Amino acid sequence: MSDLVRLDAASLAAEIAAGNASAVEVAEAHLDRIAATDDRVHAFLHVDADGALTAARAVDERRSRGEELGPLAGVPLAMKDVVVTRGLPSTSGSKILAGWRPPYDATVSARVKAAGIVMLGKTNMDEFAMGSSTENSAYGATHNPWDLSRVPGGSSGGSSAAVAAYQAPFGIGTDTGGSIRQPAAVTGLVGHKPTYGGVSRYGLIAFSSSLDQAGPLTRTVLDAALLHEAIGGHDPADSTSIDAPLPALVTAARDGARADLSGLRVGIVRELSGEGYEPGVLAGFAAAVTLLTGLGATVTEVSCAHFGYALPAYYLIAPSECSSNLARFDAVRYGLRVGDDGVRGLEEVMSLTREAGFGAEVKRRVILGTYALSSGYYDAYYGQAQKVRTLISRDFAAAFADCDVLVSPTTPTVAFPLGARVDDPMAMYAADLCTLPASLAGTPAISVPCGLSDGLPVGLQIMAPAQADDRCYRVAAAVETAVAGRDGRPILAAAPPV
Amino acid sequence: MPSISREEVAYLAKLARLAVTDEELDTFAGQLDIIIGAVARVGEVAADDIPPTSHAVPVVNVLRPDVIRPSLDRDEVLALAPAAEGGRFRVPRILDEPE
């Protein structure tokens, strides 16, 4: 394995800027690493070697002309397939979009390119981002680099596996109910879900529009802040985009790395622990709390009484929105069409196409959402879930009156074995237990590696008020520094070679 | 008494334009019964006087100036369609569908 693939994004950018490595050499090293490992990991659905080398050459030429390069110019990236990329396959993990090459770029894709970041390809995911293991992909499961018999989390499991396997220094994920944070936790990475509206949703293939957010999956907190600053900020093409500057995220990450949290008020959410949580996860979390105290923070326990209802509320709201969003797959304008024999009518062709093009989990959620929105059930299900959403936001507001950040484990368990939960939807949904409250409230939350349980990584979730993403980065960077100090190495360094 | 019957699932699938198989109906009916039983817990929360939240951040209509700007290329878009004819999307028969 080339030494270049061991470097984090900030270090690679520095090497390229200093002329110690060319962007083409960096891209080639990562493409070689993908070629050498992806038969076992299956992180990528599509590797764009030609496009990556072309983009890398452009960075090298700009450098040779003496042009000023951005802080991530020449750094390779793994892009989740839910993000639309002009001319490149963008399937969202679904057969219904097989072969589609979109005629435009998502804002996230356009900003990645504008930053001189080199996109290596598109990564695997649960179909339409519905899942917690990447096993719901129509193109086969992705394997966790820590233990190839286990899941890499989901739905952004292709990006998490790629970064943990050193195929890319960082990646883009999307998070609707935990799909950045949970994969980060179970692969020993940093993953941040921005404040809702902080990163443009234009060109994200929609799952649940009131919840979907794109964000970084990285090996260091600083890299996450750098990538977030590159893709975030107001976008007129997304009506839910916040029209305000991002907080100073990179500054916060650098500040946090000095490992001083004196005066910081940290709340432990009582409802996010106990039954259903593995002892090893709770031990890792307790050790992280000890580190926070050692860093100077004041730690208290807080109660958020309605967080226990986040899971039922989420699994009404998200399926309802997805049943509406996925109506666009109507076999007319793009994607698959099945059964068009000149005799069958539109409705039958549409039904046959959706039956052939969607996987089981997508069908389950579309049917569930159709049920929850139907007259007679609307008030009891979707309407009531929206009220619970209000109460969860109020719980956050009350807790943030006394605390600067809230903490919990990111996931109740470490990475589970492939196949263990595929036939039990409720068991799969439970993987999102800790990440759902921040999703419903639209507040930012980060997962940072904090320990190992039987040799597998455990994540600490740090939650902050809306538009205070900088607090997540500051505290996460302090924890990252303290963990490396405690263990003598970063968590990811404990991963066995793939 | 299940919260949702196989017949109800079949009807919902029809509404959602999913031509599910008999085997899928058997599987989904059992799974959806369990899921609906679990999500129905939202009803335990007393929330009569609580306003619903549809978006976590305030959402307002966003308008842009009414000026002509480039749009996607028609031929490029139609080339991505399942079927096109005469510069338009070609669709299956939409009238006289037998019910």
Side-chain angles (χ1 to χ4, degrees), chain A residues 195-239:
Chain A
T195 298
Y196 181 83
V199 176
S200 172
R201 291 187 299 107
Y202 179 73
L204 262 52
I205 298 171
F207 158 21
S208 183
S209 304
S210 80
L211 301 165
D212 298 343
Q213 269 297 286
L217 274 157
T218 62
R219 296 201 286 262
T220 71
V221 176
L222 177 63
D223 282 358
L226 285 163
L227 185 54
H228 188 163
E229 287 196 356
I231 61 171
H234 183 240
D235 176 16
D238 172 5
S239 64

mmCIF file of all heavy atoms in Angstrom, chain A residues 195-239:
data_model
loop_
_atom_site.group_PDB
_atom_site.id
_atom_site.type_symbol
_atom_site.label_atom_id
_atom_site.label_comp_id
_atom_site.label_asym_id
_atom_site.label_seq_id
_atom_site.Cartn_x
_atom_site.Cartn_y
_atom_site.Cartn_z
ATOM 1 N N THR A 195 -26.560 20.965 10.352
ATOM 2 C CA THR A 195 -27.873 21.582 10.584
ATOM 3 C C THR A 195 -28.691 21.447 9.310
ATOM 4 O O THR A 195 -28.176 21.686 8.209
ATOM 5 C CB THR A 195 -27.695 23.081 10.901
ATOM 6 O OG1 THR A 195 -26.932 23.231 12.074
ATOM 7 C CG2 THR A 195 -29.059 23.754 11.083
ATOM 8 N N TYR A 196 -29.968 21.072 9.451
ATOM 9 C CA TYR A 196 -30.827 21.001 8.261
ATOM 10 C C TYR A 196 -30.825 22.360 7.558
ATOM 11 O O TYR A 196 -31.032 23.392 8.196
ATOM 12 C CB TYR A 196 -32.257 20.598 8.658
ATOM 13 C CG TYR A 196 -33.169 20.500 7.470
ATOM 14 C CD1 TYR A 196 -33.193 19.345 6.703
ATOM 15 C CD2 TYR A 196 -33.951 21.570 7.080
ATOM 16 C CE1 TYR A 196 -34.004 19.244 5.583
ATOM 17 C CE2 TYR A 196 -34.766 21.492 5.959
ATOM 18 C CZ TYR A 196 -34.789 20.332 5.217
ATOM 19 O OH TYR A 196 -35.584 20.259 4.097
ATOM 20 N N GLY A 197 -30.560 22.328 6.253
ATOM 21 C CA GLY A 197 -30.475 23.578 5.508
ATOM 22 C C GLY A 197 -29.063 24.121 5.396
ATOM 23 O O GLY A 197 -28.824 25.120 4.724
ATOM 24 N N GLY A 198 -28.114 23.446 6.034
ATOM 25 C CA GLY A 198 -26.722 23.910 6.017
ATOM 26 C C GLY A 198 -25.966 23.538 4.758
ATOM 27 O O GLY A 198 -25.015 24.210 4.366
ATOM 28 N N VAL A 199 -26.379 22.431 4.150
ATOM 29 C CA VAL A 199 -25.772 21.977 2.897
ATOM 30 C C VAL A 199 -26.916 21.774 1.899
ATOM 31 O O VAL A 199 -27.946 21.179 2.233
ATOM 32 C CB VAL A 199 -24.988 20.655 3.093
ATOM 33 C CG1 VAL A 199 -24.449 20.147 1.753
ATOM 34 C CG2 VAL A 199 -23.842 20.848 4.077
ATOM 35 N N SER A 200 -26.727 22.250 0.694
ATOM 36 C CA SER A 200 -27.801 22.221 -0.303
ATOM 37 C C SER A 200 -28.264 20.800 -0.598
ATOM 38 O O SER A 200 -27.463 19.885 -0.746
ATOM 39 C CB SER A 200 -27.322 22.866 -1.602
ATOM 40 O OG SER A 200 -28.282 22.672 -2.623
ATOM 41 N N ARG A 201 -29.579 20.638 -0.735
ATOM 42 C CA ARG A 201 -30.139 19.356 -1.149
ATOM 43 C C ARG A 201 -30.382 19.308 -2.656
ATOM 44 O O ARG A 201 -30.861 18.289 -3.167
ATOM 45 C CB ARG A 201 -31.466 19.098 -0.414
ATOM 46 C CG ARG A 201 -31.300 18.835 1.072
ATOM 47 C CD ARG A 201 -32.613 18.426 1.734
ATOM 48 N NE ARG A 201 -33.617 19.458 1.613
ATOM 49 C CZ ARG A 201 -34.683 19.405 0.798
ATOM 50 N NH1 ARG A 201 -34.884 18.360 0.028
ATOM 51 N NH2 ARG A 201 -35.545 20.398 0.758
ATOM 52 N N TYR A 202 -30.061 20.385 -3.375
ATOM 53 C CA TYR A 202 -30.288 20.386 -4.828
ATOM 54 C C TYR A 202 -29.456 19.282 -5.487
ATOM 55 O O TYR A 202 -28.228 19.254 -5.361
ATOM 56 C CB TYR A 202 -29.902 21.748 -5.415
ATOM 57 C CG TYR A 202 -30.083 21.826 -6.916
ATOM 58 C CD1 TYR A 202 -31.344 21.900 -7.486
ATOM 59 C CD2 TYR A 202 -28.990 21.801 -7.763
ATOM 60 C CE1 TYR A 202 -31.515 21.959 -8.853
ATOM 61 C CE2 TYR A 202 -29.138 21.861 -9.142
ATOM 62 C CZ TYR A 202 -30.415 21.936 -9.681
ATOM 63 O OH TYR A 202 -30.573 21.990 -11.034
ATOM 64 N N GLY A 203 -30.144 18.334 -6.136
ATOM 65 C CA GLY A 203 -29.436 17.241 -6.791
ATOM 66 C C GLY A 203 -29.182 16.031 -5.912
ATOM 67 O O GLY A 203 -28.527 15.094 -6.346
ATOM 68 N N LEU A 204 -29.684 16.056 -4.684
ATOM 69 C CA LEU A 204 -29.724 14.820 -3.893
ATOM 70 C C LEU A 204 -31.008 14.095 -4.294
ATOM 71 O O LEU A 204 -32.076 14.689 -4.231
ATOM 72 C CB LEU A 204 -29.811 15.132 -2.390
ATOM 73 C CG LEU A 204 -28.546 15.119 -1.542
ATOM 74 C CD1 LEU A 204 -27.483 15.990 -2.159
ATOM 75 C CD2 LEU A 204 -28.853 15.574 -0.128
ATOM 76 N N ILE A 205 -30.904 12.837 -4.674
ATOM 77 C CA ILE A 205 -32.104 12.091 -5.041
ATOM 78 C C ILE A 205 -32.928 11.937 -3.772
ATOM 79 O O ILE A 205 -32.499 11.295 -2.812
ATOM 80 C CB ILE A 205 -31.731 10.745 -5.693
ATOM 81 C CG1 ILE A 205 -30.943 10.998 -6.996
ATOM 82 C CG2 ILE A 205 -32.994 9.918 -5.968
ATOM 83 C CD1 ILE A 205 -30.327 9.763 -7.612
ATOM 84 N N ALA A 206 -34.113 12.566 -3.751
ATOM 85 C CA ALA A 206 -34.834 12.790 -2.500
ATOM 86 C C ALA A 206 -35.374 11.505 -1.898
ATOM 87 O O ALA A 206 -35.947 10.679 -2.589
ATOM 88 C CB ALA A 206 -35.976 13.771 -2.742
ATOM 89 N N PHE A 207 -35.193 11.365 -0.593
ATOM 90 C CA PHE A 207 -35.788 10.284 0.189
ATOM 91 C C PHE A 207 -36.853 10.933 1.090
ATOM 92 O O PHE A 207 -38.045 10.779 0.863
ATOM 93 C CB PHE A 207 -34.680 9.538 0.932
ATOM 94 C CG PHE A 207 -35.088 8.745 2.151
ATOM 95 C CD1 PHE A 207 -36.395 8.322 2.371
ATOM 96 C CD2 PHE A 207 -34.122 8.374 3.086
ATOM 97 C CE1 PHE A 207 -36.738 7.578 3.500
ATOM 98 C CE2 PHE A 207 -34.466 7.626 4.208
ATOM 99 C CZ PHE A 207 -35.776 7.246 4.427
ATOM 100 N N SER A 208 -36.421 11.695 2.083
ATOM 101 C CA SER A 208 -37.359 12.359 2.987
ATOM 102 C C SER A 208 -36.933 13.821 3.076
ATOM 103 O O SER A 208 -36.001 14.177 3.794
ATOM 104 C CB SER A 208 -37.317 11.677 4.357
ATOM 105 O OG SER A 208 -38.270 12.251 5.215
ATOM 106 N N SER A 209 -37.623 14.659 2.324
ATOM 107 C CA SER A 209 -37.128 16.011 2.055
ATOM 108 C C SER A 209 -36.981 16.881 3.295
ATOM 109 O O SER A 209 -36.159 17.790 3.305
ATOM 110 C CB SER A 209 -38.046 16.709 1.057
ATOM 111 O OG SER A 209 -38.146 15.929 -0.112
ATOM 112 N N SER A 210 -37.754 16.629 4.339
ATOM 113 C CA SER A 210 -37.642 17.483 5.526
ATOM 114 C C SER A 210 -36.511 17.025 6.444
ATOM 115 O O SER A 210 -36.280 17.634 7.487
ATOM 116 C CB SER A 210 -38.975 17.529 6.288
ATOM 117 O OG SER A 210 -39.157 16.386 7.093
ATOM 118 N N LEU A 211 -35.814 15.953 6.063
ATOM 119 C CA LEU A 211 -34.763 15.386 6.917
ATOM 120 C C LEU A 211 -33.414 15.241 6.215
ATOM 121 O O LEU A 211 -32.364 15.293 6.864
ATOM 122 C CB LEU A 211 -35.196 13.995 7.414
ATOM 123 C CG LEU A 211 -36.491 13.920 8.229
ATOM 124 C CD1 LEU A 211 -36.983 12.490 8.324
ATOM 125 C CD2 LEU A 211 -36.272 14.491 9.622
ATOM 126 N N ASP A 212 -33.398 15.031 4.901
ATOM 127 C CA ASP A 212 -32.160 14.711 4.171
ATOM 128 C C ASP A 212 -31.102 15.820 4.305
ATOM 129 O O ASP A 212 -31.415 16.992 4.121
ATOM 130 C CB ASP A 212 -32.441 14.544 2.666
ATOM 131 C CG ASP A 212 -33.395 13.404 2.333
ATOM 132 O OD1 ASP A 212 -33.608 12.534 3.183
ATOM 133 O OD2 ASP A 212 -33.911 13.398 1.198
ATOM 134 N N GLN A 213 -29.876 15.444 4.629
ATOM 135 C CA GLN A 213 -28.736 16.375 4.638
ATOM 136 C C GLN A 213 -27.482 15.640 4.194
ATOM 137 O O GLN A 213 -27.237 14.515 4.631
ATOM 138 C CB GLN A 213 -28.488 16.921 6.051
ATOM 139 C CG GLN A 213 -29.237 18.200 6.355
ATOM 140 C CD GLN A 213 -28.821 19.354 5.465
ATOM 141 O OE1 GLN A 213 -27.750 19.923 5.621
ATOM 142 N NE2 GLN A 213 -29.671 19.720 4.516
ATOM 143 N N ALA A 214 -26.672 16.277 3.348
ATOM 144 C CA ALA A 214 -25.379 15.715 2.965
ATOM 145 C C ALA A 214 -24.315 16.209 3.935
ATOM 146 O O ALA A 214 -24.457 17.280 4.527
ATOM 147 C CB ALA A 214 -25.018 16.134 1.541
ATOM 148 N N GLY A 215 -23.258 15.417 4.107
ATOM 149 C CA GLY A 215 -22.182 15.833 4.994
ATOM 150 C C GLY A 215 -20.960 14.950 4.827
ATOM 151 O O GLY A 215 -20.963 13.994 4.043
ATOM 152 N N PRO A 216 -19.893 15.259 5.588
ATOM 153 C CA PRO A 216 -18.610 14.587 5.416
ATOM 154 C C PRO A 216 -18.459 13.294 6.223
ATOM 155 O O PRO A 216 -18.950 13.186 7.344
ATOM 156 C CB PRO A 216 -17.616 15.638 5.937
ATOM 157 C CG PRO A 216 -18.392 16.405 6.963
ATOM 158 C CD PRO A 216 -19.834 16.395 6.513
ATOM 159 N N LEU A 217 -17.727 12.344 5.636
ATOM 160 C CA LEU A 217 -17.245 11.127 6.313
ATOM 161 C C LEU A 217 -15.731 11.121 6.143
ATOM 162 O O LEU A 217 -15.239 11.067 5.010
ATOM 163 C CB LEU A 217 -17.841 9.881 5.663
ATOM 164 C CG LEU A 217 -19.209 9.425 6.170
ATOM 165 C CD1 LEU A 217 -19.913 8.597 5.121
ATOM 166 C CD2 LEU A 217 -19.040 8.622 7.456
ATOM 167 N N THR A 218 -15.001 11.189 7.250
ATOM 168 C CA THR A 218 -13.569 11.456 7.165
ATOM 169 C C THR A 218 -12.805 10.682 8.242
ATOM 170 O O THR A 218 -13.407 10.076 9.118
ATOM 171 C CB THR A 218 -13.289 12.962 7.378
ATOM 172 O OG1 THR A 218 -13.731 13.310 8.693
ATOM 173 C CG2 THR A 218 -14.030 13.817 6.368
ATOM 174 N N ARG A 219 -11.461 10.723 8.146
ATOM 175 C CA ARG A 219 -10.652 10.056 9.166
ATOM 176 C C ARG A 219 -10.248 11.001 10.290
ATOM 177 O O ARG A 219 -9.771 10.547 11.332
ATOM 178 C CB ARG A 219 -9.414 9.418 8.507
ATOM 179 C CG ARG A 219 -9.794 8.311 7.518
ATOM 180 C CD ARG A 219 -8.651 7.351 7.252
ATOM 181 N NE ARG A 219 -7.622 7.912 6.412
ATOM 182 C CZ ARG A 219 -7.524 7.704 5.084
ATOM 183 N NH1 ARG A 219 -8.408 6.933 4.463
ATOM 184 N NH2 ARG A 219 -6.565 8.249 4.393
ATOM 185 N N THR A 220 -10.405 12.311 10.063
ATOM 186 C CA THR A 220 -10.089 13.274 11.129
ATOM 187 C C THR A 220 -11.183 14.334 11.213
ATOM 188 O O THR A 220 -11.899 14.589 10.238
ATOM 189 C CB THR A 220 -8.753 14.011 10.874
ATOM 190 O OG1 THR A 220 -8.931 14.910 9.774
ATOM 191 C CG2 THR A 220 -7.614 13.037 10.573
ATOM 192 N N VAL A 221 -11.281 14.964 12.363
ATOM 193 C CA VAL A 221 -12.274 16.019 12.568
ATOM 194 C C VAL A 221 -11.958 17.226 11.683
ATOM 195 O O VAL A 221 -12.855 17.840 11.092
ATOM 196 C CB VAL A 221 -12.329 16.420 14.060
ATOM 197 C CG1 VAL A 221 -13.296 17.582 14.275
ATOM 198 C CG2 VAL A 221 -12.747 15.219 14.924
ATOM 199 N N LEU A 222 -10.671 17.551 11.568
ATOM 200 C CA LEU A 222 -10.285 18.694 10.739
ATOM 201 C C LEU A 222 -10.718 18.479 9.288
ATOM 202 O O LEU A 222 -11.247 19.395 8.637
ATOM 203 C CB LEU A 222 -8.764 18.923 10.810
ATOM 204 C CG LEU A 222 -8.235 20.060 9.932
ATOM 205 C CD1 LEU A 222 -8.818 21.405 10.355
ATOM 206 C CD2 LEU A 222 -6.707 20.113 9.970
ATOM 207 N N ASP A 223 -10.508 17.260 8.766
ATOM 208 C CA ASP A 223 -10.927 16.975 7.387
ATOM 209 C C ASP A 223 -12.427 17.163 7.215
ATOM 210 O O ASP A 223 -12.889 17.653 6.179
ATOM 211 C CB ASP A 223 -10.561 15.534 7.009
ATOM 212 C CG ASP A 223 -9.081 15.374 6.677
ATOM 213 O OD1 ASP A 223 -8.356 16.381 6.702
ATOM 214 O OD2 ASP A 223 -8.665 14.228 6.394
ATOM 215 N N ALA A 224 -13.196 16.746 8.232
ATOM 216 C CA ALA A 224 -14.652 16.897 8.146
ATOM 217 C C ALA A 224 -15.023 18.377 8.063
ATOM 218 O O ALA A 224 -15.873 18.775 7.257
ATOM 219 C CB ALA A 224 -15.329 16.235 9.343
ATOM 220 N N ALA A 225 -14.368 19.199 8.883
ATOM 221 C CA ALA A 225 -14.653 20.636 8.867
ATOM 222 C C ALA A 225 -14.260 21.256 7.519
ATOM 223 O O ALA A 225 -14.994 22.090 6.961
ATOM 224 C CB ALA A 225 -13.914 21.330 10.011
ATOM 225 N N LEU A 226 -13.129 20.841 6.987
ATOM 226 C CA LEU A 226 -12.677 21.368 5.682
ATOM 227 C C LEU A 226 -13.683 21.006 4.578
ATOM 228 O O LEU A 226 -14.040 21.842 3.745
ATOM 229 C CB LEU A 226 -11.296 20.797 5.334
ATOM 230 C CG LEU A 226 -10.110 21.391 6.103
ATOM 231 C CD1 LEU A 226 -8.884 20.476 5.994
ATOM 232 C CD2 LEU A 226 -9.770 22.783 5.565
ATOM 233 N N LEU A 227 -14.119 19.746 4.574
ATOM 234 C CA LEU A 227 -15.046 19.309 3.524
ATOM 235 C C LEU A 227 -16.410 19.981 3.692
ATOM 236 O O LEU A 227 -17.050 20.387 2.712
ATOM 237 C CB LEU A 227 -15.173 17.782 3.541
ATOM 238 C CG LEU A 227 -16.022 17.150 2.429
ATOM 239 C CD1 LEU A 227 -15.555 17.590 1.044
ATOM 240 C CD2 LEU A 227 -15.994 15.619 2.530
ATOM 241 N N HIS A 228 -16.855 20.111 4.941
ATOM 242 C CA HIS A 228 -18.131 20.774 5.217
ATOM 243 C C HIS A 228 -18.103 22.218 4.706
ATOM 244 O O HIS A 228 -19.042 22.686 4.074
ATOM 245 C CB HIS A 228 -18.396 20.726 6.731
ATOM 246 C CG HIS A 228 -19.751 21.209 7.141
ATOM 247 N ND1 HIS A 228 -20.287 20.924 8.367
ATOM 248 C CD2 HIS A 228 -20.677 21.983 6.511
ATOM 249 C CE1 HIS A 228 -21.485 21.480 8.462
ATOM 250 N NE2 HIS A 228 -21.737 22.137 7.360
ATOM 251 N N GLU A 229 -17.003 22.909 4.958
ATOM 252 C CA GLU A 229 -16.900 24.296 4.467
ATOM 253 C C GLU A 229 -16.892 24.352 2.940
ATOM 254 O O GLU A 229 -17.381 25.307 2.335
ATOM 255 C CB GLU A 229 -15.653 24.986 5.050
ATOM 256 C CG GLU A 229 -15.827 25.328 6.529
ATOM 257 C CD GLU A 229 -14.805 26.348 7.047
ATOM 258 O OE1 GLU A 229 -13.896 26.742 6.292
ATOM 259 O OE2 GLU A 229 -14.937 26.732 8.230
ATOM 260 N N ALA A 230 -16.331 23.297 2.307
ATOM 261 C CA ALA A 230 -16.279 23.290 0.832
ATOM 262 C C ALA A 230 -17.660 23.086 0.217
ATOM 263 O O ALA A 230 -17.964 23.646 -0.839
ATOM 264 C CB ALA A 230 -15.321 22.197 0.346
ATOM 265 N N ILE A 231 -18.509 22.278 0.852
ATOM 266 C CA ILE A 231 -19.807 21.959 0.232
ATOM 267 C C ILE A 231 -20.965 22.762 0.811
ATOM 268 O O ILE A 231 -22.032 22.813 0.207
ATOM 269 C CB ILE A 231 -20.146 20.452 0.366
ATOM 270 C CG1 ILE A 231 -20.260 20.024 1.838
ATOM 271 C CG2 ILE A 231 -19.121 19.601 -0.387
ATOM 272 C CD1 ILE A 231 -20.795 18.612 2.048
ATOM 273 N N GLY A 232 -20.778 23.382 1.977
ATOM 274 C CA GLY A 232 -21.902 23.995 2.686
ATOM 275 C C GLY A 232 -22.151 25.430 2.287
ATOM 276 O O GLY A 232 -21.449 26.009 1.459
ATOM 277 N N GLY A 233 -23.187 25.987 2.927
ATOM 278 C CA GLY A 233 -23.532 27.388 2.690
ATOM 279 C C GLY A 233 -24.726 27.536 1.763
ATOM 280 O O GLY A 233 -25.177 26.572 1.137
ATOM 281 N N HIS A 234 -25.211 28.759 1.694
ATOM 282 C CA HIS A 234 -26.479 29.023 1.018
ATOM 283 C C HIS A 234 -26.459 28.662 -0.463
ATOM 284 O O HIS A 234 -25.448 28.859 -1.142
ATOM 285 C CB HIS A 234 -26.846 30.508 1.171
ATOM 286 C CG HIS A 234 -28.174 30.846 0.566
ATOM 287 N ND1 HIS A 234 -28.314 31.767 -0.438
ATOM 288 C CD2 HIS A 234 -29.405 30.354 0.808
ATOM 289 C CE1 HIS A 234 -29.591 31.841 -0.782
ATOM 290 N NE2 HIS A 234 -30.274 30.992 -0.038
ATOM 291 N N ASP A 235 -27.590 28.136 -0.930
ATOM 292 C CA ASP A 235 -27.753 27.799 -2.343
ATOM 293 C C ASP A 235 -29.149 28.230 -2.772
ATOM 294 O O ASP A 235 -30.148 27.711 -2.280
ATOM 295 C CB ASP A 235 -27.587 26.286 -2.542
ATOM 296 C CG ASP A 235 -27.837 25.869 -3.984
ATOM 297 O OD1 ASP A 235 -27.841 26.747 -4.869
ATOM 298 O OD2 ASP A 235 -28.018 24.657 -4.219
ATOM 299 N N PRO A 236 -29.255 29.185 -3.685
ATOM 300 C CA PRO A 236 -30.573 29.647 -4.127
ATOM 301 C C PRO A 236 -31.398 28.539 -4.781
ATOM 302 O O PRO A 236 -32.622 28.664 -4.889
ATOM 303 C CB PRO A 236 -30.255 30.751 -5.149
ATOM 304 C CG PRO A 236 -28.792 30.996 -5.084
ATOM 305 C CD PRO A 236 -28.139 29.873 -4.346
ATOM 306 N N ALA A 237 -30.748 27.453 -5.211
ATOM 307 C CA ALA A 237 -31.481 26.376 -5.886
ATOM 308 C C ALA A 237 -32.202 25.455 -4.913
ATOM 309 O O ALA A 237 -32.934 24.562 -5.336
ATOM 310 C CB ALA A 237 -30.517 25.561 -6.757
ATOM 311 N N ASP A 238 -31.977 25.634 -3.608
ATOM 312 C CA ASP A 238 -32.658 24.822 -2.594
ATOM 313 C C ASP A 238 -33.429 25.771 -1.679
ATOM 314 O O ASP A 238 -32.837 26.530 -0.917
ATOM 315 C CB ASP A 238 -31.619 24.004 -1.801
ATOM 316 C CG ASP A 238 -32.223 23.275 -0.601
ATOM 317 O OD1 ASP A 238 -33.456 23.316 -0.413
ATOM 318 O OD2 ASP A 238 -31.444 22.653 0.150
ATOM 319 N N SER A 239 -34.765 25.700 -1.740
ATOM 320 C CA SER A 239 -35.574 26.658 -0.980
ATOM 321 C C SER A 239 -35.464 26.445 0.521
ATOM 322 O O SER A 239 -35.871 27.305 1.299
ATOM 323 C CB SER A 239 -37.041 26.579 -1.409
ATOM 324 O OG SER A 239 -37.568 25.303 -1.099
#
